[in-house]
Amino acid sequence: MDTKEYIASGILELYVAGTLSDLENLEVYLNAEKYPEIKKEIEGIEASVLSLTKSVSPGTKGFSDIQNRMAKEGTVKTEPIRNKVSWTAYLGWAASLVFLGGLIWLYQQNDQLKLDLEVVSRENDAMELQIADSKNSLAKTEDLLNTIRDKNITVVALGGQTVSPISYAKAYWNKGEKKVYIDAQGLPDPPNGFVYQVWSLKLDPLTPTSMGLLEDFVDDDNKVFALANPNESEAFGITLEPAGGSESPNLEQLYALGVATS
């Protein structure tokens, strides 16, 4: 037996109200004896009805009968309650049940309203994040365009190397602002646990200086990264390094390399 469905059917309220037939009363009684949760629910309904009936008709004989019966026995009887209460008590019970039903309905409506407000709030938060991301993306694009169009910009093409001949990248170097934009669209996504690291190179002797990592490479849609470069670079290289980067480049994992011309 699905006791939750049985309790939710409303038959227990009718049992407490005394509106069921003798056969139905017996059925409820037997189920209450068999399933403790049903018995507990009946006792809870009786307690609620008694409390409300007392406030509606505190002086009725029906209320005293019910109160005495529950105090003495503490158990559910098969005898319909309607045989022990007056019509005045019936009116009080009816009003109490209507009142309880109204409270339950208001409680459910309030919960639904809270849920709706929470959904709307989350949607607003998501929209605000999208707007902020769009503004940041637009500002980044405008900054990139201004850098590329600067007449003093140095463009360095980085070609693929032995580990990945088809890879390529491009560096836009603004020496005045000491900034480099790396367009890494031509690089494959790094495997899990690895990251691309960009190096400023002096060629004679070969001296690498880390300019930074291409963080969140997979999630970056345009694959353009801004890095500071206060170095007197002669070339730029991009290697694949363990997450967090390395002190010196792993030349066996050199993906792209390009020489800067004056």
Side-chain angles (χ1 to χ4, degrees), residues 3-116:
T3 56
K4 292 184 178 179
E5 183 177 347
Y6 188 76
I7 291 172
S9 69
I11 192 171
L12 302 186
E13 286 80 358
L14 297 176
Y15 175 76
V16 172
T19 59
L20 299 178
S21 65
D22 291 342
L23 182 60
E24 290 171 327
N25 276 334
L26 178 60
E27 178 188 349
V28 173
Y29 171 75
L30 293 176
N31 285 331
E33 291 298 309
K34 185 176 181 181
Y35 300 101
E37 56 268 37
I38 294 178
K39 186 172 184 179
K40 183 177 180 181
E41 183 69 17
I42 292 175
E43 292 172 350
I45 296 171
E46 287 181 334
S48 298
V49 171
L50 284 174
S51 177
L52 291 170
T53 303
K54 185 176 181 181
S55 64
V56 175
S57 53
T60 63
K61 180 177 181 299
F63 172 77
S64 299
D65 287 345
I66 297 169
Q67 191 176 44
N68 291 336
R69 177 176 65 82
M70 293 183 65
K72 290 179 180 179
E73 302 177 13
T75 58
V76 180
K77 293 292 186 179
T78 59
E79 182 181 357
I81 295 178
R82 61 174 181 233
N83 293 333
K84 292 191 175 184
V85 298
S86 66
W87 283 106
T88 306
Y90 272 130
L91 293 176
W93 282 26
S96 300
L97 290 174
V98 171
F99 180 68
L100 281 174
L103 287 179
I104 293 172
W105 182 83
L106 288 175
Y107 179 78
Q108 292 174 339
Q109 292 296 109
N110 186 53
D111 280 354
Q112 184 61 45
L113 180 58
K114 289 181 179 179
L115 181 61
D116 292 342

